[in-house]
């Protein structure tokens, strides 16, 4: 998976590649999908949600430029797979999911794998986690029509919000850096994510 789907498609950060080698994706996919755990595909999970495609997980993670000392916010815990990749690379990960059922399942797997630097919350991630801000980086794993203002506010100066922006069907993955308190965006790739639903996202 790492060679065919990540290195050949341009993922270069050796720390990201190591993390992608280390995290066992088969532990996060439903049993019925296990034979496709290392295919470069998003796969269906509970609550009509998806586990993201490995290439997109690596691309989003690389865009954060993590060195190991950061506090990162993830919006959309889902299965916890992306959370585990972040936990390999940052000092601390705060992750928030709107479906309690998904969050509980993810926490069980992350605990079994021994991650001790993750705080999982249930709630509306479009509002971020003001009590833990500022974050060095924020990653949003669901699609919005715009970057929720609360998230841009909670990233530190020089930090990045990585988020799929577009319609409910297709989006562009954007890395939005905070430079002199203003957004500076770089488009990374086309993508398809489930909608970000919440006060500063799509309505239900
Ligand atoms: N990163 C996940 C993984 O590796 O399994 C995949 C996440 S899935 C593509 C998107 C997730 O975002 C879903 O679990 C969905 O319930 C969640 N979500 C959507 N809107 C949200 C919100 N406002 N706050 C928190 N989570 C949200």
């Amino acid at each position: 998976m790492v060679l065919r789907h990540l290195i050949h498609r341009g993922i270069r950060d050796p720390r990201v590649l190591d993390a992608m080698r280390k995290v066992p994706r088969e532990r996060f996919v439903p049993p019925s999908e296990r034979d496709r755990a290392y295919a470069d595909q998003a796969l269906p999970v509970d609550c009509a949600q998806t586990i993201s495609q490995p290439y997109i997980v690596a691309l989003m993670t690389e865009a954060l430029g993590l060195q190991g000392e950061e506090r990162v916010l993830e919006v959309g815990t889902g299965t916890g797979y992306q959370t585990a990749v972040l936990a390999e690379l940052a000092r601390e990960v705060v992750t928030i999911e709107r479906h309690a059922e998904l969050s509980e399942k993810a926490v069980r797997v992350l605990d079994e794998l021994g991650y001790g630097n993750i705080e999982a919350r249930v709630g509306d991630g479009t509002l971020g986690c003001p009590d833990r801000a500022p974050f060095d980086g924020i990653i949003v794993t669901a699609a919005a029509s715009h970057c929720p203002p609360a998230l841009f506010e909670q990233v530190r100066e020089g930090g990045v919000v990585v988020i799929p922006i577009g319609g409910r069907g297709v989006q562009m993955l954007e890395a939005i850096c905070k430079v002199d308190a203003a957004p500076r965006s770089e488009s990374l790739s086309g993508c398809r994510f489930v909608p970000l639903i919440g006060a500063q996202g799509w309505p239900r």
Side-chain angles (χ1 to χ4, degrees):
M1 177 188 90
V2 167
L3 186 63
R4 277 179 58 193
H5 303 313
L6 308 187
I7 295 175
H8 284 177
R9 292 187 68 185
I11 303 296
R12 290 283 171 266
D13 184 333
R15 296 185 73 241
V16 173
L17 293 170
D18 281 348
M20 295 296 293
R21 272 188 201 99
K22 190 167 169 198
V23 176
R25 192 167 185 255
E26 78 273 8
R27 294 292 305 275
F28 296 89
V29 304
S32 59
E33 301 292 343
R34 237 156 240 169
D35 54 343
R36 294 199 285 167
Y38 294 97
D40 194 30
Q41 289 174 9
L43 297 170
V45 301
D46 293 341
C47 302
Q49 301 302 318
T50 54
I51 177 171
S52 307
Q53 175 191 353
Y55 170 69
I56 293 290
V57 170
L59 185 67
M60 293 178 85
T61 307
E62 191 173 58
L64 291 174
L66 299 173
Q67 301 297 316
E69 285 307 313
E70 297 84 357
R71 175 159 65 223
V72 175
L73 173 65
E74 178 192 32
V75 177
T77 314
T79 64
Y81 176 63
Q82 169 81 76
T83 322
V85 172
L86 294 171
E88 292 286 342
L89 296 167
R91 182 169 48 79
E92 195 182 349
V93 181
V94 179
T95 183
I96 181 161
E97 168 58 53
R98 62 186 286 269
H99 290 289
E101 182 186 333
L102 287 179
S103 178
E104 282 158 21
K105 222 177 224 180
V107 166
R108 262 200 306 279
V109 177
L110 292 164
D111 282 349
E112 282 166 17
L113 292 173
Y115 289 102
N117 58 343
I118 296 169
E119 179 187 335
R121 296 184 177 192
V122 174
D124 178 4
T126 66
L127 302 175
C129 292
D131 55 315
R132 303 303 311 282
F135 294 96
D136 299 294
I138 298 180
I139 188 166
V140 184
T141 68
S145 60
H146 61 284
C147 179
L151 298 183
F152 190 69
E153 197 178 304
Q154 289 172 36
V155 77
R156 71 161 167 81
E157 175 67 26
V160 182
V161 181
V162 182
I163 179 169
I165 301 277
R168 275 184 177 249
V170 290
Q171 308 90 29
M172 181 57 72
L173 199 53
E174 302 282 349
I176 305 172
C177 188
K178 190 186 259 189
V179 182
D180 297 331
R184 187 180 291 172
S185 291
E186 183 190 350
S187 299
L188 303 178
S189 167
C191 57
R192 283 173 183 274
F193 275 85
V194 295
L196 180 72
I197 294 177
Q200 295 188 13
W202 296 100
R204 268 168 194 252

